Amino acid sequence: MDFSSYKAESKLGAPADRTSNVKISNPGAAALANEQAKTGAIFLNGLDRLRAEVQTGRVMQANNEYNKELLDLTNELRQNKEQDALDTVQQFDEREQKIRSRIQKKYGSFLYGEAGRKYDDMLIRDYNSRRQSMINYQIGEAEKFNDTVLKNGLNDVANLATSDYMNPDNVNGAMNKAAYLVAQRYEHYGEEKIKQMTRAAQGNLAAQVIDRAYANGDTGAAETFIEKYGSVMEPNVLTGYAKNVYASRMAMLQETTAKSLFARFGDDEEAAYRFINSEEFGGTGNVNNALAWYKDAEAQGKSLGKNQCTVGLNYALQAGGCKPINTWAPTAWEEAKNAGKTFTDQSRLRVGDIVYWNTSDIKGEASHVGMYVGNGKVCQSGDSGIRTIPLSEYTVVGFQHPEGRAATPEERKKLFTAYQQEKALRKRFETQARQQVTDAAEAEFFQMYKDGNADPSAYHAKAIEYAGDDPKLFKSIVSLGNSFASISGKVSGNKGNTKSDPLFESSMVKMMTAGGYSNADVLAYIDNPENMVSDADKAKTMKLIEQRNQGKGPFAYNWEGIKDKVMEGYQKKDKAYVWGNVHSKLIYDIDKYRREHANQDPARDEVVRMGLAALADSYSYTVPGTWLRESKEKVSSADLAAVGIMDIYRNPNGLNDIFLRDGRQRRITDAQLQRILAGEPVTMVVMEE
């Protein structure tokens, strides 16, 4: 192929955009150009997708950050409670705007186009969801706040009502105030809700007023409130109150009757028993007297107020010597009906019978009561006062015969028991009163003794002054005075008398019990030469001290049952031995108690408590060594007495608690005891009181 002409033209340096007349056919170059164009398009498309993915990732990151801060915000705002939470939604909106603005600023360059629209959709969705939760939370806390306001208001109303519950206007005002507070609280809930909650609030208020009256013993006031406000109380709550107050009323009636029986019969149980079981006492009472009360009240135009039918009936029944019924008429009817005491046959109706009517919307409920007068008329206490109305005025539920205060054998038995309890109570009061007088006389006798008064007539005159017209009291007080006069006479005027005094022993017993003399006091007295106590009386005194230390003779205590109660939980083999230690400790404790309480014995429960304390503190395990008190062959009582030791006990620490003749108490070891018996001087540890 000749390229000369092509070469020659090429040399001319033709411009690049000049059209050549020469047609060159090159398929490879065309294919390469086409591939390069495709590659460029793919690259551009990939770059767009990359940009979109990056932007989507940033949008998601922005949304996640927004969500996190919104979650933190809602959690923080949920810490606000009740009143503090009432502007929760407003706080949420204000702070959400700041969060949104901050994130928009941070991610603004990426939040455009399709990704921006997606971000806005997610933001609106999340915002609405979180805001709705804040709305619900604020509503819930507002409800709690309103409940708290209502609760506090009702508490204030209850305090007002119970502080002056005997004032009807005060209680009625509190009821109205409670209704007003409830209406305010539930004003947007509808009439039925307000009625429901008002009834609950007033019922609770009525219960508190009844509780206060009942706690103060004002059974009559409690009965009045039950009947007046029973319609707003829950039936089961009302029934419980009615039964409790009625039981209290019957107990008070029984107590009052027992007092009147004791006032009439005194200690004559046989006469009281005959009267209680006679027709004169029981029976059905006197219905004429009951009706007379109604008629007199009606003549006076008397009114007991609204919802007081049972209160009026009970006044009449008690005026007739009859048993009152339950203060809530529906409960009274049910109790009487269940006991088989009611009837519905009008042909059996007689003057003085109790009439039960239904005046409520509840079918068959006995909501009103009265007393049948005869000729189809009934006396009753209604809203318009006490007046007589036709039997047919309301729907009759049934009738009941009135009962005497002790109609059944069981009731008579309970009443006789109540009379016996009243008698025993009076005896205890009498004994306590006599003891108080005796204690006062004893204190004055002791002062006379310390002043050196040895005139028996002076003690005798004081005994008459204290005893008054009570011969039993005079006998005990004059005996006490003689004892002090005898001792005082020895000190002041009989210094040369060394004969045994027949009254000396009894006088010393009184000094060691009622007089509160310790062993040391007694020993100091008999050893004082001024008192000229004979050897025989000294020997008697030493014997008394020994009896006192052993809890015997005039210092004995009734131990029946004490050991069993104290030691019932102790199961070790040395139980008998340990009880010996506890018993010895109790003797000391009882004697100390008597000296501190004018010779009164501690109660048995107190002795058990002392014993348990001793068992737990010192005697609940085996004592090491030998208890010298039981080792008579080693150390005799005579050996101990020779060195001035009156008694000795082994304590849990392996030491010996000794009681010396001079009244002192010391603690020594076994070795020290042997040295004392050998006549050697020993330094002893003082025992703790």
Side-chain angles (χ1 to χ4, degrees), residues 160-174 209 221 225 228-229:
L160 174 66
T162 55
S163 65
D164 189 16
Y165 65 86
M166 295 301 290
N167 183 346
D169 292 336
N170 179 60
V171 179
N172 286 335
V209 174
F225 293 130
K228 189 170 185 177
Y229 301 114

Side-chain angles (χ1 to χ4, degrees), residues 418-436:
Y419 156 75
Q420 291 178 310
Q421 291 172 343
E422 179 68 19
K423 174 185 170 184
L425 183 63
R426 296 295 183 92
K427 287 295 183 183
R428 285 200 297 273
F429 288 160
E430 182 181 318
T431 300
Q432 290 174 359
R434 283 178 173 171
Q435 186 60 50
Q436 289 174 354

Side-chain angles (χ1 to χ4, degrees), residues 152-219:
N152 292 338
L154 292 177
N155 284 340
D156 292 340
V157 169
N159 290 334
L160 174 66
T162 55
S163 65
D164 189 16
Y165 65 86
M166 295 301 290
N167 183 346
D169 292 336
N170 179 60
V171 179
N172 286 335
M175 287 288 178
N176 293 334
K177 179 67 174 177
Y180 172 74
L181 292 173
V182 171
Q184 275 191 320
R185 167 66 180 88
Y186 296 103
E187 60 180 331
H188 301 302
Y189 286 74
E191 185 177 350
E192 286 303 315
K193 180 69 172 181
I194 292 176
K195 285 182 179 179
Q196 175 190 351
M197 300 310 294
T198 298
R199 185 176 186 274
Q202 290 183 330
N204 182 59
L205 179 58
Q208 293 186 64
V209 174
I210 293 169
D211 282 338
R212 177 61 61 86
Y214 188 51
N216 289 347
D218 297 330
T219 307

Side-chain angles (χ1 to χ4, degrees), residues 4 106 123 133 165 190 226 229 241 278 366 534 595 603 619 644 659 681:
S4 58
K106 181 176 180 180
L123 184 142
S133 72
Y165 65 86
I226 286 174
Y229 301 114
Y241 274 114
S278 68
S534 68
R595 284 187 282 120
Y619 298 92
F659 298 81

